[in-house]
Amino acid sequence: ESLQRVDALVLRLASGKIHDVTVPGLGRQFSPSYLEGLSPCMPFHDPAEQPWCAALEARAADLCEELLAEASEGLWAPAAKSTCQ
C-alpha cells in the first residue's frame, strides 16, 4: 500500500508547514500533523474505514519492540504549544 499520505505529512512537518483552514460550519481546523483522509475535527475514527489500520494492528508487537530497542534519553520532546496560537 502506498505511503504517499505519510510522506506528505513528513514533508510538511520537516518544512514547518501547518494545516490551517476554516471550514464553514466546522470552524478552524488547525493541525500541525495533518494526515490527508483523516478529519482533524473528529475525535475518534472508525478503524474499519481505514484499511491500513488492520496492517498496523497486525504488526503492533513488532513496532513496540522496535520502538523500545531504539528508545533513548531525550528521544521525545513536548509539543511546541507556541505554534498552536
Side-chain angles (χ1 to χ4, degrees), residues 45-54:
H45 300 275
D46 182 356
E49 293 178 5
Q50 307 299 331
W52 54 268
C53 285

Side-chain angles (χ1 to χ4, degrees), residues 8-82:
L9 165 66
V10 171
L11 288 173
R12 273 193 305 278
L13 288 171
S15 65
K17 293 181 181 174
I18 295 175
H19 175 81
D20 189 3
V21 298
T22 300
V23 179
L26 295 176
R28 184 179 183 205
Q29 294 181 348
F30 183 91
S31 180
S33 56
Y34 178 72
L35 183 64
E36 282 83 359
L38 294 180
S39 175
C41 61
M42 289 178 56
F44 300 98
H45 300 275
D46 182 356
E49 293 178 5
Q50 307 299 331
W52 54 268
C53 285
L56 187 62
E57 181 179 25
R59 301 292 305 273
D62 295 332
L63 293 168
C64 287
E65 183 179 319
E66 183 177 338
L67 178 62
L68 291 172
E70 298 297 325
S72 64
E73 189 71 30
L75 176 66
W76 303 107
K81 299 273 185 190
S82 63

